[in-house]
Amino acid sequence: MEIEKTNQMNALFDFYGSLLTDKQKSYMQLYYADDFSLGEIAEEFEVSRQAIYDNIRRTENSLIEYEKKLHLLEDFNTTKAVIEDMSSYIKSHYPKDEVLEQFIELLKKDRDEK
């Protein structure tokens, strides 16, 4: 469960991190991406462990609320799945159609740039 939550928070951070304050970004980056403990972050910023914990929990809730309202991560994952399905279908039904494959590559490139 912890790995799933970490993956979810990292994905939400990728989409909504620019909406966070610099302090929130720093705490989330250290805690989720760099795997710092609450104590290590508290020591780094010279605040209490409880302050870090509270800030991270509030930030997690903010990221979840952004996703509930904007659906950017959900839409990204849906689009990714559709592109993968289309790619498989094209490879199995139109293996020699280079134009269709180029369209798929353009969709993948566009998706990866977002």
Side-chain angles (χ1 to χ4, degrees), residues 6-102:
T6 297
N7 290 340
Q8 178 193 26
M9 285 300 129
N10 282 326
L12 291 173
F13 184 77
D14 287 344
F15 279 92
Y16 302 109
S18 62
L19 301 175
L20 303 175
T21 67
D22 289 339
K23 182 169 60 171
Q24 287 173 317
K25 288 179 201 177
S26 295
Y27 292 173
M28 294 297 284
Q29 176 71 35
L30 291 171
Y31 189 70
Y32 282 107
D34 299 337
D35 202 28
F36 276 46
S37 69
L38 295 173
E40 291 170 323
I41 300 169
E43 188 176 311
E44 178 82 20
F45 287 90
E46 298 179 350
V47 296
S48 71
R49 183 186 175 286
Q50 186 65 43
I52 300 297
Y53 175 83
D54 291 343
N55 189 291
I56 288 174
R57 294 299 165 250
R58 282 192 307 272
T59 303
E60 289 171 350
N61 291 334
S62 293
L63 292 173
I64 291 167
E65 286 301 312
Y66 293 147
E67 177 60 15
K68 283 181 182 177
K69 292 175 182 171
L70 300 172
H71 310 284
L72 296 180
L73 179 58
E74 178 185 350
D75 292 348
F76 176 84
N77 288 332
T78 299
T79 301
K80 180 179 176 183
V82 169
I83 291 170
E84 289 171 3
D85 290 347
M86 286 173 48
S87 181
S88 294
Y89 182 84
I90 289 168
K91 285 178 183 174
S92 66
H93 290 80
Y94 305 97
K96 295 181 181 180
D97 192 329
E98 293 178 14
V99 174
L100 286 175
E101 192 57 42
Q102 287 175 349

